[in-house]
Amino acid sequence: MTTMTTTTATSPVLEASGVTMRFGGLTAVRSVDLTVNSGEIVGLIGPNGAGKTTFFNCLTGLYIPTEGKVSYKGTVLPPKPHLVTNAGIARTFQNIRLFANMTVLENVLVGRHTRTKEGLWSALLRGPGFRKAETASRERAMELLEFIGLSHKADHLARNLPYGEQRKLEIARALASDPGLLLLDEPTAGMNPQETRATEELVFAIRDQGIAVLVIEHDMRFIFNLCDRVACLVQGEKLVEGTSDVVQGDERVIAAYLGTPFEGAPGDEEVAEVEAAESGSGAQSTTSKEGSAQ
């Protein structure tokens, strides 16, 4: 793959403005603004219960924000995950969500479906248009497996891959939708140092392809080495945003991670409530107004 260059390196890809998410009487995310520009890797950190995953879910259409808006390249995103993917945003999840009994190649092909134009009848009749699209999809999927270093395991079942390679495969599947922005939710969770380093190199390579990246991560060394900018959420609010040096040196960030109380800090009960909301317990009533957010 060739590295893409652009003359609009600072143009906004993602703009979240005043995003607020409430679950009943609990405010999990409160008036968060965040911009990700083309060519950037931006990190989102914060202690458990800070609202990071809830914010991610608002960006990807899983949740409909109670207030605020999310725009991709200047267009407000519809609150439906498949439409957000169609627009150009892809994501991975904290818990790996591969199709365990499908092959590595088949998992990536699933990610291609948003970029294929063939309809039901074409698929059923398997006409020339379908066969051409299928061939193109397989070629693109193999390119992505080569890119992440798994082309030699294309025919292996996903469940048989080592943990680190399963994480890579999930990233490849997200890339298969040809996104302009990739959201990574704790991509190094459970990894050893060698796997973490390989993931860091992979994210840099993704950025070099012209894809902006927004990443949630608890590994501070990873996030500060990786990111151009970092934003820290505490109790659903953006506490600070800036370069790695600025954020690392902020006493409020240090206090939040050490569990040291500071003015306005959440109590244990509030943290537990936000963690429960992020796990999905409050999502059903929120998304029911659209029938389903899935």
Side-chain angles (χ1 to χ4, degrees):
M1 294 182 182
T2 57
T3 301
M4 295 176 60
T5 57
T6 176
T7 57
T8 57
T10 59
S11 61
V13 175
L14 176 78
E15 294 177 278
S17 176
V19 171
T20 296
M21 187 71 222
R22 297 190 183 95
F23 298 96
L26 170 70
T27 302
V29 175
R30 187 190 308 272
S31 300
V32 173
D33 298 331
L34 187 70
T35 298
V36 180
N37 297 313
S38 56
E40 272 194 318
I41 302 173
V42 176
L44 190 63
I45 66 171
N48 290 336
K52 303 183 298 297
T53 296
T54 296
F55 182 63
F56 249 41
N57 288 342
C58 290
L59 300 181
T60 56
L62 280 172
Y63 295 166
I64 304 167
T66 310
E67 297 172 12
K69 65 179 182 178
V70 180
S71 300
Y72 175 73
K73 295 185 176 179
T75 301
V76 176
L77 289 169
K80 294 285 188 181
H82 69 282
L83 296 178
V84 171
T85 302
N86 288 344
I89 296 178
R91 73 170 293 177
T92 63
F93 293 84
Q94 282 179 310
N95 301 314
I96 295 174
R97 297 188 181 185
L98 296 173
F99 295 98
N101 292 318
M102 293 171 64
T103 68
V104 168
L105 177 60
E106 288 168 343
N107 268 274
V108 181
L109 286 171
V110 168
R112 285 297 300 168
H113 81 279
T114 59
R115 295 293 176 245
T116 57
K117 305 302 182 185
E118 298 303 308
L120 174 62
W121 287 111
S122 177
L124 291 174
L125 297 173
R126 302 186 71 83
F130 174 80
R131 290 196 295 271
K132 183 178 180 180
E134 186 178 40
T135 298
S137 288
R138 290 179 68 88
E139 288 175 353
R140 176 59 176 152
M142 286 304 298
E143 284 181 7
L144 288 169
L145 290 178
E146 181 74 29
F147 177 67
I148 66 167
L150 285 179
S151 58
H152 63 295
K153 293 189 175 181
D155 295 326
H156 292 213
L157 291 179
R159 68 184 183 193
N160 293 333
L161 294 180
Y163 181 83
E165 291 184 351
Q166 289 189 23
R167 283 280 183 193
K168 280 187 174 182
L169 177 56
E170 191 176 38
I171 291 173
R173 187 177 63 187
L175 292 173
S177 66
D178 293 337
L181 173 67
L182 178 63
L183 308 184
L184 301 175
D185 195 346
E186 298 197 23
T188 68
M191 287 188 175
N192 61 41
Q194 291 75 22
E195 291 169 333
T196 297
R197 176 59 182 168
T199 300
E200 181 179 312
E201 293 174 353
L202 176 58
V203 175
F204 281 133
I206 290 168
R207 188 268 311 276
D208 291 344
Q209 294 298 317
I211 300 170
V213 181
L214 176 61
V215 56
I216 292 175
E217 187 53 71
H218 282 294
D219 185 332
M220 292 297 99
R221 179 177 295 180
F222 173 81
I223 209 82
F224 289 133
N225 284 341
L226 186 74
C227 295
D228 301 299
R229 285 186 293 116
V230 178
C232 178
L233 293 188
V234 175
Q235 200 182 3
E237 297 186 46
K238 188 170 71 174
L239 188 67
V240 63
E241 178 183 349
T243 64
S244 293
D245 288 343
V246 167
V247 175
Q248 286 182 85
D250 193 293
E251 292 184 357
R252 295 168 299 169
V253 175
I254 297 169
Y257 273 94
L258 292 176
T260 305
F262 58 93
E263 186 176 354
D268 291 341
E269 185 175 334
E270 290 173 295
V271 169
E273 287 179 348
V274 174
E275 288 177 336
E278 288 187 341
S279 71
S281 62
Q284 192 62 41
S285 60
T286 304
T287 57
S288 62
K289 66 180 98 173
E290 289 291 332
S292 172
Q294 301 295 334

